[in-house]
Amino acid sequence: QVQLVESGGGLVQPGGSLRLSCAASGSISTIGGMGWYRQAPGSQRELVARITVGGTTNYADSVRGRFTISRDNAKNTVYLQMNSLKPEDTAVYYCNADITVVKRYGNYWGQGTQVTVSS
């Protein structure tokens, strides 16, 4: 079994910062791409940022220049540093990863962590 556990969400004022973490655990052989998605009330889940094993990144236009995704392959962990937060960044943030377990590929999601940007 594989688990993705997010942490670091919370309430922050506009202009503030938060750092999300997501650690993968279980019978993992390899981890490929990892990423963060978000879903606001009444909206579809959308890509925030993704990072490859080699460190290549891509970002949604709405967060580029404010958010930074990174990963620690030794710890099976992906991070999202969020700066200059805006009220429209309020959403549940989900971690996602491509993981191989004993030659069996799967795409996994975390349980989500709430980020609220409000004064």
Side-chain angles (χ1 to χ4, degrees):
Q1 287 288 56
V2 171
Q3 278 192 313
L4 296 178
V5 179
E6 299 114 333
S7 60
L11 173 64
V12 64
Q13 292 187 341
S17 298
L18 282 175
R19 189 191 194 211
L20 305 183
S21 299
C22 171
S25 63
S27 303
I28 296 170
S29 296
T30 59
I31 301 178
M34 303 182 81
W36 291 93
Y37 293 72
R38 68 186 181 187
Q39 187 167 18
S43 299
Q44 290 188 332
R45 191 173 297 187
E46 63 176 5
L47 171 70
V48 176
R50 281 194 72 84
I51 184 168
T52 67
V53 173
T56 300
T57 58
N58 70 288
Y59 296 91
D61 289 342
S62 59
V63 307
R64 188 173 291 111
R66 300 187 297 121
F67 291 9
T68 302
I69 188 170
S70 61
R71 63 189 288 169
D72 184 332
N73 292 330
K75 295 182 179 179
N76 291 340
T77 299
V78 63
Y79 306 95
L80 186 68
Q81 177 66 44
M82 304 186 293
N83 298 329
S84 302
L85 282 159
K86 304 175 181 180
E88 51 263 43
D89 295 318
T90 296
V92 178
Y93 284 70
Y94 297 91
C95 175
N96 176 267
D98 298 322
I99 298 175
T100 301
V101 178
V102 192
K103 299 183 180 180
R104 188 171 177 181
Y105 164 84
N107 183 260
Y108 294 86
W109 292 92
Q111 80 286 355
T113 185
Q114 177 70 46
V115 171
T116 302
V117 185
S118 175
S119 54

